[in-house]
Amino acid sequence: MYRFISSNIRKTYFYIFLVFVLVVGIGYAFAWYYGDYSLLVQAVVFALIYNLIAYFYSDKIVLSLAKAHLVDKKEEAELYRLVENLSIRSGLPMPKIYVIEDNSPNAFATGRDPQHSAVAVTRGLINLLDREELRAVLAHEMSHIKNYDIRLQTIIAVLVGAIVILADYLRRWFWFSNRERREEGFIGLLVMLFLLVVAPLAARLIQLAISRKREFLADASAAELTRYPQGLISALEKISSYPQGVRSASLATAHLYFASPFRENKNKSNWFESLFLTHPPIEERIEALKSFGF
């Protein structure tokens, strides 16, 4: 367990550094191409500020994107008690609790460490699952907090957004800049190709670099915490059969959720598409849980 925690902490700083280098690299390419090295300075400043924002405010950004609102014990008494009991059993500080007013059942945890953490659940999850199933899903999210998955996952969500935003901004700037300069030929074509394809793809690959094994580990930790893997199995079955996805979810935040917030067409999926899935198949998670002997 401590090995996974240490690994997540190292990966967090590695990806922050990697995004910094990528953003500065984009700035340098544009500065060289246009002969204006003020663009490089702007890229460095942007990378520094965005990394600081990602580290200290990424959880607030993600919760805002998810349209989650903070609730207390009076508003959601049962939900609050479940999280409180799991916090005591796991030895973790009590996280803040948020609710997303969406009928699709799902949940995620966020924050930079257990002392600054939050758990968000959709209204659909509260309404669809019984008490034991809901407890199992919450235990899964508490496991993400304990393993420091939340810091890595949340910061990656914000940094991926930074790369996409910067690539889009520079693409527009390139397109509307001096037309003769843009049509110089092969170099201009390479720049456009990078902005249109390579930068967003790099952002996506960085996001997918967060191993999907984290979900199996969180499932196992949840089963151990509740001593009732059937609760998680039943929750996974119900969630996978729900026909609609989470409306406020995006490609940047999809990896945060308990299960994929999108509804993929299972009949049309292939091995290449499976490489870009943020979560392991529900069936594999259920099979792994059935092998536990609690």
Side-chain angles (χ1 to χ4, degrees):
M1 185 65 69
Y2 292 108
R3 179 169 59 88
F4 283 103
I5 293 173
S6 298
S7 174
N8 279 335
I9 293 173
R10 289 194 302 271
K11 285 181 180 178
T12 299
Y13 296 119
F14 170 75
Y15 286 121
I16 287 176
F17 174 75
L18 183 62
V19 170
F20 177 83
V21 171
L22 182 58
V23 171
V24 171
I26 293 173
Y28 178 79
F30 266 78
W32 172 80
Y33 182 64
Y34 285 98
D36 181 2
Y37 283 88
S38 68
L39 295 174
L40 176 59
V41 175
Q42 293 176 41
V44 172
V45 172
F46 175 83
L48 288 172
I49 293 175
Y50 210 95
N51 275 334
L52 288 173
I53 291 173
Y55 188 83
F56 290 105
Y57 299 103
S58 54
D59 55 338
K60 295 178 178 61
I61 294 171
V62 166
L63 290 165
S64 177
L65 290 173
K67 299 179 180 179
H69 63 89
L70 185 66
V71 296
D72 56 27
K73 194 171 185 177
K74 291 182 180 179
E75 295 173 281
E76 299 290 341
E78 181 65 18
L79 177 63
Y80 191 95
R81 280 195 295 269
L82 287 173
V83 175
E84 188 175 43
N85 290 337
L86 288 169
S87 297
I88 294 170
R89 290 197 62 179
S90 60
L92 291 171
M94 178 71 180
K96 294 181 179 179
I97 303 173
Y98 288 78
V99 170
I100 304 167
E101 298 300 340
D102 192 298
N103 290 327
S104 180
N106 224 312
F108 67 82
T110 184
R112 66 178 184 268
D113 54 46
Q115 288 72 37
H116 303 86
S117 61
V119 173
V121 300
T122 63
R123 182 64 62 188
L125 190 80
I126 297 171
N127 293 336
L128 181 67
L129 305 187
D130 64 29
R131 188 177 187 279
E132 288 302 317
E133 292 164 348
L134 181 57
R135 187 168 76 104
V137 173
L138 292 171
H140 174 101
E141 299 306 329
M142 295 296 290
S143 298
H144 278 313
I145 294 174
K146 189 169 187 177
N147 299 342
Y148 276 75
D149 291 333
I150 54 170
R151 178 189 288 179
L152 180 60
Q153 292 173 336
T154 305
I155 287 177
I156 287 296
V158 177
L159 294 181
V160 165
I163 297 173
V164 174
I165 290 170
L166 182 63
D168 184 65
Y169 169 77
L170 291 176
R171 185 182 70 245
R172 293 172 187 272
W173 188 77
F174 179 84
W175 183 256
F176 290 107
S177 62
N178 186 288
R179 183 176 178 82
E180 293 182 0
R181 181 67 173 168
R182 192 177 68 241
E183 292 180 345
E184 280 188 357
F186 185 65
I187 294 178
L189 179 62
L190 287 180
V191 172
M192 281 302 294
L193 180 64
F194 179 82
L195 293 176
L196 289 171
V197 180
V198 178
L201 180 59
R204 183 64 173 155
L205 292 175
I206 289 172
Q207 181 189 42
L208 293 171
I210 307 173
S211 174
R212 284 184 286 172
K213 290 181 179 179
R214 75 190 187 280
E215 295 301 334
F216 290 113
L217 177 61
D219 284 345
S221 299
E224 184 177 9
L225 183 60
T226 62
R227 312 300 296 181
Y228 186 60
Q230 185 56 45
L232 198 55
I233 291 171
S234 180
L236 284 165
E237 289 172 342
K238 286 185 178 181
I239 291 170
S240 65
S241 64
Y242 196 82
Q244 298 175 351
V246 180
R247 295 189 303 272
S248 59
S250 66
L251 288 175
T253 60
H255 63 284
L256 292 170
Y257 285 83
F258 171 74
S260 174
F262 310 126
R263 290 296 173 261
E264 297 91 358
N265 188 331
K266 296 179 181 179
N267 295 326
K268 294 184 179 181
S269 62
N270 54 51
W271 69 269
F272 181 76
E273 290 174 349
S274 68
L275 296 177
F276 291 88
L277 297 179
T278 56
H279 293 72
I282 293 287
E283 294 78 10
E284 291 184 17
R285 293 172 66 180
I286 290 175
E287 285 303 314
L289 285 164
K290 286 180 178 178
S291 66
F292 297 148
F294 292 110

